[in-house]
Amino acid sequence: MSRSTTSPTAENSHLGSAHRTLSLEIEGLKALMASLDGPFIEAVETLGRAEGRIVVTGMGKSGHVARKIAATLASTGSPSQYVHPGEASHGDLGMITAADVILALSWSGETAELSSIISHAKRFAIPLIAMTAESASALGRAGDVALVLPRAEEACPNKLAPTTSTTMQLALGDALAIALLEKKGFSAKDFKVFHPGGKLGAMLSHVREVMHVGDELPLTGPGTPMSEVLLLMSQKSLGCAGIVDENGKLDGMITDGDIRRHSSGDLLARTASEVMNASPKTVSPDMLASEAVKLLNEKKITSLFVVEDGKPVGVVHIHDFLKAGVV
């Protein structure tokens, strides 16, 4: 194992720098939160009325933040794209239509490259939302809605590198995106449409997508001898058996744990109803896989029956979630 050669003095200096940076950015975010008022509400309503896309634009560091805001908006149900202001006057203005809404970022509000986009917005009556620290700037005055960021100290010791300011821009973009998401009633099911891959896609899958169905279900009646129940559990290899009544409704459940708890007596002389848990935890097919995993962990169990109208339609095992990438 390698050992750090950094001196204690240097370590303290680095940590002190990090603490100062984060403290200044936290203060900036607190000031931003306190400043939110009517224009923020108006901005959300304006963005929500967009029949086309939300066009996000900005130059330099504001441009990098604008790209992230556009990506967040798009992934949360608000079609969006980034347009580079420097390319706009060289043909990319054609990406912006009268059905769109423009969200333009500039800390100073005097970014020259934004002039063509501002003019285009005015010419075609495209709603323009300005995100700037200067309400009296060219961008601030041109905006139909001006989101004025409060003045805050940059974390850079020279007070030059955009740090606190870009953190505030990014946070305000997140606030707009989440407010829009809630306004539209964008659900976890909708979210999965735009995030089908990776860990997030797996977490947003539903129980019905991973459950065992049909002949895979280990089901039997309450009067079944335990010798037969054990054989059934061995054949289905899911670590459980569901006990159903004459109407096909789940009456109880037997797990490996139940068998261990009754192993001291004459287990094989008993019936399923004598060993089963009469109040097993169950889930619905439409429950998120992540919620089902949480239930398994909380109750320290490995299997769950999936029930609709009281009848078992599937069964899931912790291994199924492991294979699906949920865990």
Side-chain angles (χ1 to χ4, degrees), residues 259-323:
I259 292 171
R260 286 193 297 273
R261 282 187 287 274
H262 289 83
S263 60
S264 58
D266 191 359
L267 178 65
L268 298 182
R270 301 185 180 210
T271 63
S273 62
E274 295 177 273
V275 177
M276 72 180 189
N277 171 9
S279 302
K281 296 295 179 183
T282 62
V283 294
S284 73
D286 295 320
M287 176 181 279
L288 285 176
S290 56
E291 294 178 355
V293 170
K294 181 181 178 183
L295 181 59
L296 287 171
N297 289 332
E298 287 178 348
K299 300 302 178 182
K300 295 180 172 56
I301 53 180
T302 58
S303 302
L304 289 165
F305 270 94
V306 186
V307 174
E308 275 189 317
D309 298 324
K311 296 181 178 181
V313 295
V315 64
V316 286
H317 191 278
I318 187 64
H319 291 162
D320 301 319
F321 296 117
L322 284 167
K323 289 178 184 177

Side-chain angles (χ1 to χ4, degrees), residues 7 11 34 43 65-66 69 98 123 133 138 142 161 163 197 209 224 256-257 267 282 284 287 306 323 327:
S7 69
E11 289 180 356
V65 174
I69 292 174
R123 180 182 179 187
T163 46
E209 297 174 55
T224 304
D256 291 335
L267 178 65
T282 62
S284 73
M287 176 181 279
V306 186
K323 289 178 184 177
V327 180

Side-chain angles (χ1 to χ4, degrees), residues 202-284:
M203 293 292 288
L204 292 171
S205 61
H206 293 82
V207 168
R208 69 169 67 252
E209 297 174 55
V210 297
M211 70 185 187
H212 299 268
V213 297
D215 291 339
E216 295 180 272
L217 299 187
L219 300 176
T220 190
T224 304
M226 280 305 299
S227 57
E228 295 182 24
V229 174
L230 291 172
L231 180 61
L232 175 68
M233 291 175 65
S234 176
Q235 290 173 339
K236 302 299 182 178
S237 301
L238 290 171
C240 66
I243 314 304
V244 293
D245 63 19
E246 64 274 11
N247 297 314
K249 293 194 173 184
L250 190 68
D251 207 21
M253 179 178 179
I254 297 175
T255 66
D256 291 335
D258 295 316
I259 292 171
R260 286 193 297 273
R261 282 187 287 274
H262 289 83
S263 60
S264 58
D266 191 359
L267 178 65
L268 298 182
R270 301 185 180 210
T271 63
S273 62
E274 295 177 273
V275 177
M276 72 180 189
N277 171 9
S279 302
K281 296 295 179 183
T282 62
V283 294
S284 73

Side-chain angles (χ1 to χ4, degrees), residues 160-173:
L160 297 174
T163 46
T164 306
S165 57
T166 48
T167 298
M168 292 164 66
Q169 287 177 321
L170 185 59
L172 185 53

